[in-house]
Amino acid sequence: MATTLDTNKSAAQATAAPPWSARAGTALRYLVLFALGLLFFMPFIISFFSTFKTTNEILSWPPTIFPQEWRWSNWSETWNTTIPGASSNIFPRWLFNSIWLALVVVVAQLFFCSLAAYAFARLQFPGRDIIFAFMLGTMAIPSVVTLIPGYVFFAKLKWINTYWPIIVPSLVTPFGIFLLTQFFKTIPKELEEAALIDGASRFRTYWSIILPMARPALITLGILSFQGSWNNFTGPLLFLRKPDLMTLTVGLNFFKGQYVNDWPKLMIGTMFNAIPVLILFFVFSRYYVEGQASAGVKG
Amino acid sequence: MAAQSTVRRSRLSNRTREAITGYIFIAPYLIVTGVFLVGLLVYALYISFTDQTATFDRTFQFVGLSNYIEALTNTQFLTTLANVFWYALIVTTMQTIGAVLLAVLLNSKMRFKQFFRTIFYAPSVASSVVISMIFLLLYLRTGYINRLLGLVGLPDDTTWLNNADGLFELIIPGVERISNPFLRGPSVAWMAIMAMNIFTTIPTFMLMFLAALQDIPGQLYEAASIDGASKVYQFFKITLPLLRPTFVLVLVLSTIGTFQIFDQVAIMTKGGPDNTTSTPGYLIYTKVLGEGTTAAAGLGCAMAFILAAIIFFFTFLQRRFIEDQTQ
């Protein structure tokens, strides 16, 4: 709705703009941008419509955009999927696992990253700058190097088929600390100094003065860490082998057959994985952009 | 005197207290990094010199450098290195160019800048699983990519993800089969995955370029326009040089990411056809989980360190090469 309104407004303005060639240039630019936008979004739209088709229709030539016959029951069949050796509500279960895992990671990261960031931004302690520089350096270490020892280590701890190997290493991340440290440094010190003189502890000033002021940065980190956990594939693939424990990203593999995939279910599962982060993104797109831009500051 | 010394002592203890608080606040980070990064790195190094398996069902021995030698003479591993080299080269180049162009296109006084930026960025928030599944659908033999090609008069029956023909086998006339995986070039299946990833990561890097472009003062362009410099000239002489730090960042991030590609391979091709889409990351993964009884953790770790060394080498070159030009 808002988009249509905007379009009208711009059309009105375009007619008011005088130079002819500039107008043609602008029109061309919009045309290119619009075509690109469509190109970037088309795969999602096509996939969404395919969730209402039969496998036969998906595999027929030429491919259709809209379903010949809308099979709404695909969605309920996917929701009620049964898998041998798994509990009966396996699909909602994957969804639930993905959600609570993401929430745990978000809460943990917001707390531990902000705590460390406060220390890096405000407190004086020996080795602070070296540790901070070391932390930034570790962000360039390819994660593939810790894949095997990680697996071996977690196997020794008997952590395979538990959520610990996924949660514990991502309780606190260099990126999160970096993002929040940069933000905390922009908050004026005077605010805390008054509280400190009144005898408030460091933790208290962090908790009741800095955190409320850092809301935009916390939201940014919260969104990015939610997305990271929700989209995580490698961790669950390595450590969660029982269907009941799996998250949506790896559970979907059950819809891939040896020879033929169960296409409607596969695409519906894909939509369940895509839609929450897309909604989050459209609601908070400003924060996404800020997060990405501050990742750029590092260079 | 006495009063002064108490003041000094309390100041000192204040400072100590602040330091202790600081360490308590960063303790969770230090523990997590100490165990799961530094600890595991040291452990990986240690394992790489042993004949350790991932299952620990027997005692293991030190084997010196033999894992590294075995990795470097292992044809499967060398094939994955060749694959991932082509992948990193092509994907990094194409997505950087694409990201700059898109950012320049968006960076002007225009309406709906926000709107377009949001639309372009949307595919980047979807998981690798989502993207892979959607492109499995698009790349079907009866899929939309073939349909699109057919509509513009091109062959429309390619089995994209099953085609092992190498790029150079296809474009060099008279060449039938090249056995060397490096000289053969990326296979059709591999190029299909490249195209997908170029498409989905352009927006991420576009945002970084866009942020950098917005920091370039407009006066620079105004002055250049007054001096009669064309738009193209301005792009090459003002925009590109000022974007240099962003180029380094984007190239380094892209190199680190592309050399480690894993998810898409695991979901879409499992390394096939004919190993032409297998990557070191995927090979290492199959080593860990052991296809059958050959879970060679030591060899896998050696491979991981070789890959990390290659990544460091290339990112070092990029930093050196691009930053040096500033002086």
Side-chain angles (χ1 to χ4, degrees):
Chain A
M1 245 345 228
T3 344
T4 9
L5 278 177
D6 277 354
T7 321
N8 291 338
K9 238 194 288 167
S10 105
Q13 218 178 44
T15 38
W20 205 89
S21 61
R23 236 159 68 195
T26 314
L28 188 70
R29 182 193 293 266
Y30 279 117
L31 203 68
V32 171
L33 285 174
F34 187 75
L36 283 174
L38 205 64
L39 183 74
F40 277 107
F41 229 74
M42 215 43 196
F44 289 95
I45 296 166
I46 288 174
S47 312
F48 180 71
F49 284 127
S50 71
T51 62
F52 301 103
K53 299 175 185 171
T54 59
T55 296
N56 267 341
E57 187 182 346
I58 288 173
L59 295 177
S60 66
W61 180 263
T64 53
I65 303 250
F66 299 106
Q68 285 162 337
E69 179 203 344
W70 292 74
R71 280 179 50 111
W72 300 92
S73 59
N74 282 348
W75 285 73
S76 57
E77 278 165 25
T78 307
W79 187 262
N80 296 319
T81 300
T82 50
I83 283 167
S87 59
S88 55
N89 289 320
I90 192 69
F91 191 83
R93 190 156 186 139
W94 291 336
L95 206 58
F96 173 77
N97 290 341
S98 285
I99 292 170
W100 81 258
L101 206 55
L103 290 181
V104 168
V105 169
V106 168
V107 172
Q109 280 201 22
L110 286 181
F111 179 65
F112 290 122
C113 291
S114 64
L115 203 60
Y118 178 80
F120 284 124
R122 281 292 194 273
L123 301 178
Q124 292 291 339
F125 53 91
R128 184 188 69 176
D129 297 339
I130 296 169
I131 296 172
F132 195 71
F134 163 82
M135 184 186 83
L136 293 187
T138 60
M139 287 165 81
I141 294 176
S143 56
V144 67
V145 181
T146 54
L147 189 73
I148 293 181
Y151 187 82
V152 170
F153 181 59
F154 294 131
K156 275 189 170 177
L157 289 176
K158 302 250 184 293
W159 275 9
I160 308 295
N161 276 325
T162 71
Y163 293 107
W164 299 118
I166 299 163
I167 294 173
V168 179
S170 49
L171 286 177
V172 46
T173 62
F175 173 76
I177 297 176
F178 173 73
L179 184 82
L180 295 180
T181 306
Q182 298 306 96
F183 192 87
F184 289 175
K185 280 181 178 166
T186 65
I187 299 175
K189 276 185 183 159
E190 290 73 30
L191 292 164
E192 298 157 79
E193 274 161 7
L196 285 171
I197 289 166
D198 287 349
S201 70
R202 281 292 182 179
F203 185 81
R204 224 192 134 68
T205 52
Y206 146 80
W207 187 259
S208 49
I209 294 175
I210 293 288
L211 281 193
M213 303 229 17
R215 255 188 64 185
L218 293 173
I219 293 176
T220 303
L221 177 61
I223 292 166
L224 292 177
S225 56
F226 181 89
Q227 186 197 348
S229 172
W230 181 264
N231 288 351
N232 187 1
F233 174 73
T234 323
L237 178 73
L238 278 172
F239 302 114
L240 306 174
R241 303 299 177 71
K242 291 184 184 149
D244 280 5
L245 297 173
M246 287 179 180
T247 59
L248 197 56
T249 46
V250 286
L252 287 189
N253 273 325
F254 282 99
F255 298 147
K256 288 180 70 189
Q258 187 84 44
Y259 302 104
V260 182
N261 299 332
D262 191 339
W263 278 105
K265 284 185 181 169
L266 201 57
M267 293 332 286
I268 289 166
T270 301
M271 288 300 122
F272 269 103
N273 189 218
I275 289 170
V277 279
L278 282 175
I279 291 175
L280 206 64
F281 167 69
F282 282 117
V283 174
F284 294 104
S285 69
R286 191 163 63 90
Y287 296 95
Y288 266 96
V289 173
E290 274 167 20
Q292 285 297 335
S294 64
V297 178
K298 185 169 69 107
Chain B
M1 271 303 253
Q4 214 175 9
S5 86
T6 28
V7 167
R8 195 190 284 153
R9 198 184 307 142
S10 85
R11 195 183 281 155
L12 204 75
S13 78
N14 259 348
R15 198 188 271 173
T16 319
R17 215 190 301 152
E18 188 170 321
I20 292 169
T21 314
Y23 274 105
I24 292 172
F25 281 16
I26 65 167
Y29 165 70
L30 288 180
I31 293 168
V32 168
T33 292
V35 175
F36 298 104
L37 189 74
V38 181
L40 290 184
L41 266 179
V42 174
Y43 194 26
L45 199 64
Y46 170 76
I47 295 177
S48 76
F49 293 112
T50 68
D51 60 354
Q52 177 79 278
T53 66
T55 45
F56 288 94
D57 49 2
R58 65 185 181 90
T59 51
F60 57 89
Q61 292 172 331
F62 278 93
V63 292
L65 283 172
S66 74
N67 281 329
Y68 289 86
I69 294 164
E70 194 184 333
L72 288 173
T73 51
N74 180 319
T75 44
Q76 227 184 340
F77 184 59
L78 293 178
T79 303
T80 63
L81 284 183
N83 290 343
V84 92
F85 171 80
W86 286 117
Y87 184 85
L89 182 74
I90 296 172
V91 173
T92 300
T93 311
M94 300 294 277
Q95 75 191 5
T96 307
I97 295 172
V100 173
L101 292 181
L102 198 58
V104 170
L105 198 63
L106 265 182
N107 183 49
S108 60
K109 283 206 186 88
M110 58 177 286
R111 316 207 107 245
F112 326 117
K113 192 158 150 180
Q114 235 78 314
F115 169 75
F116 279 119
R117 197 173 63 182
T118 309
I119 288 291
F120 289 155
Y121 192 61
S124 302
V125 302
S127 66
S128 53
V129 175
V130 168
I131 299 294
S132 302
M133 295 298 181
I134 289 180
F135 274 79
L136 274 181
L137 180 78
L138 300 184
Y139 279 133
L140 280 173
R141 205 170 79 83
T142 57
Y144 297 90
I145 306 260
N146 273 341
R147 180 63 177 158
L148 218 57
L149 292 174
L151 287 177
V152 296
L154 293 166
D156 61 2
D157 58 350
T158 314
T159 50
W160 292 100
L161 297 172
N162 266 320
N163 192 326
D165 294 344
L167 177 64
F168 299 128
E169 294 169 343
L170 292 172
I171 61 170
I172 302 174
V175 171
E176 279 291 304
R177 188 90 193 119
I178 305 170
S179 57
N180 183 310
F182 184 77
L183 297 177
R184 186 168 61 207
S187 70
V188 172
W190 200 212
M191 287 187 284
I193 295 181
M194 287 180 192
M196 171 186 91
N197 268 20
I198 291 167
F199 167 81
T200 49
T201 34
I202 279 180
T204 315
F205 294 127
M206 182 260 308
L207 274 192
M208 292 181 186
F209 281 117
L210 200 56
L213 281 173
Q214 280 160 356
D215 287 344
I216 299 178
Q219 296 98 300
L220 283 178
Y221 295 104
E222 282 162 28
S225 297
I226 291 166
D227 290 347
S230 70
K231 283 261 157 101
V232 178
Y233 186 84
Q234 289 177 25
F235 177 74
F236 283 103
K237 290 292 168 183
I238 301 174
T239 313
L240 283 188
L242 286 172
L243 286 180
R244 193 167 275 147
T246 319
F247 270 105
V248 177
L249 176 76
V250 165
L251 287 175
V252 166
L253 286 180
S254 176
T255 305
I256 295 174
T258 48
F259 268 103
Q260 295 188 84
I261 177 181
F262 171 83
D263 297 6
Q264 293 81 349
V265 173
I267 297 165
M268 297 175 80
T269 59
K270 300 208 180 301
D274 205 10
N275 277 330
T276 59
T277 67
S278 189
T279 67
Y282 189 69
L283 187 66
I284 291 165
Y285 161 75
T286 52
K287 292 277 171 209
V288 181
L289 296 179
E291 295 159 311
T293 53
T294 55
L299 181 62
C301 281
M303 288 175 177
F305 276 109
I306 293 170
L307 179 66
I310 293 171
I311 294 173
F312 275 126
F313 174 72
F314 280 110
T315 53
F316 174 77
L317 277 192
Q318 285 161 347
R319 285 196 168 116
R320 205 47 197 278
F321 182 68
I322 302 174
E323 274 166 7
D324 260 10
Q325 308 225 325
T326 329
Q327 281 124 39

